[in-house]
């Protein structure tokens, strides 16, 4: 997974994490004083650092999905992780192919894998990405990718290449619509739907 940019500055959440880390450190120091375990000055700084690291990890991997944090405005990053299936329509001979997008996401990192399903001619992996809200209950994802072709399956003139995709995710319905461009001079449209039954978190929380 790689880092991605977001319209959410994350400053408010980081401030909350720092505040809670100090509270946890104070509680830990009070406990060590009560138990008579070492001087407080020796424990306080490492305790704050450890508490911050633990809370940051919790938010980055789990808590950032909690709807209550989105409703409070603490977290504003849209949750778009999941598996989507649908089709692409290429500008090359208006070819229509079944495709799948798999998105792994944390609060600060993301990985996007794109597969052509039939024929299984290529797989693309994201290199960079940006994610933000796009109106009510929608998120806009823009990412660059590197495509790896499968020799013997892909067309003879198709080689590994880079490209860019820009899609809009309807967070309530789990639908993706967008377009892609590649450095082979081709482009096309994408239309996919999330394959799981659970709803995505609305982009505006």
């Amino acid at each position: 997974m790689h880092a991605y940019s977001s319209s959410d500055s994350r400053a408010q959440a980081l401030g909350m994490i720092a505040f809670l880390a100090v509270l946890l450190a104070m509680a830990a120091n009070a406990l060590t004083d009560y138990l008579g375990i070492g001087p407080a000055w020796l424990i306080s700084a490492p305790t704050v650092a450890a508490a911050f690291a633990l809370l940051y990890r919790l938010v980055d991997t789990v808590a950032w999905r909690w709807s209550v944090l989105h409703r409070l405005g603490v977290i504003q990053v849209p949750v778009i992780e999941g598996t989507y299936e649908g089709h692409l329509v290429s500008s090359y001979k208006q070819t229509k192919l079944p495709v799948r997008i798999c998105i792994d996401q944390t609060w600060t990192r993301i990985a996007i894998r794109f597969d052509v399903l039939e024929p299984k001619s290529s797989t693309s992996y994201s290199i960079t990405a940006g994610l933000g809200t796009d109106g009510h209950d929608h998120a806009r994802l823009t990412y660059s990718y590197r495509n790896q072709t499968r020799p013997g399956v892909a067309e003879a003139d198709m080689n590994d290449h880079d490209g860019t995709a820009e899609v809009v995710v309807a967070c309530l319905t789990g639908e993706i619509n967008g377009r892609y461009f590649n450095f082979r001079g081709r482009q096309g449209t994408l239309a996919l739907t999330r394959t799981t039954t659970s709803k995505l978190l609305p982009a505006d929380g």
Side-chain angles (χ1 to χ4, degrees), residues 14 18 41 60 66 84 87 102 107 115 119 145 149 169 189 199:
L14 289 173
W41 63 267
D60 188 44
W66 294 350
Y84 303 78
H87 64 269
C102 297
W107 184 42
D115 290 295
Y145 63 83
T149 59
V169 184
T189 59
K199 299 294 185 181

Side-chain angles (χ1 to χ4, degrees), residues 77-137:
V77 175
V79 182
I80 62 169
E81 62 182 350
T83 300
Y84 303 78
E85 292 188 358
H87 64 269
L88 68 78
V89 178
S90 172
S91 61
Y92 178 68
K93 299 181 180 179
Q94 293 300 301
T95 305
K96 184 176 182 179
L97 297 171
V99 296
R100 178 174 57 221
I101 293 178
C102 297
I103 302 176
D104 293 322
Q105 183 189 10
T106 72
W107 184 42
T108 60
R109 303 181 70 80
I110 199 168
I112 305 153
R113 171 174 170 155
F114 183 95
D115 290 295
V116 176
L117 300 178
E118 189 60 42
K120 297 181 178 180
S121 57
S122 68
T123 297
S124 300
Y125 301 92
S126 61
I127 304 170
T128 63
L131 177 64
T133 57
D134 188 50
H136 185 63
D137 294 336

Side-chain angles (χ1 to χ4, degrees), residues 7-81:
S7 56
D8 180 6
S9 69
R10 302 189 175 106
Q12 184 175 356
L14 289 173
M16 180 194 70
I17 293 171
F19 176 73
L20 292 177
V22 171
L23 292 182
L24 285 176
M26 291 173 63
N29 288 340
L31 178 62
T32 55
D33 283 346
Y34 176 77
L35 297 176
I37 305 175
W41 63 267
L42 183 61
I43 300 173
S44 58
T47 302
V48 172
F52 183 90
L54 180 63
L55 290 171
Y56 182 90
R57 177 69 175 174
L58 175 65
V59 171
D60 188 44
T61 58
V62 178
W64 76 282
R65 300 181 183 88
W66 294 350
S67 60
V68 63
L69 295 182
H70 285 258
R71 287 196 296 269
L72 293 173
V74 177
I75 301 291
Q76 300 175 22
V77 175
V79 182
I80 62 169
E81 62 182 350

Side-chain angles (χ1 to χ4, degrees), residues 5 16 34 51-52 63 84 89 100 115 138 143 155 157 162 164 178 185 191 196 201 203:
S5 61
M16 180 194 70
Y34 176 77
F52 183 90
Y84 303 78
V89 178
R100 178 174 57 221
D115 290 295
H138 286 75
Y143 68 96
E155 296 181 10
D157 67 338
D162 295 337
T164 301
T196 56
L201 188 68

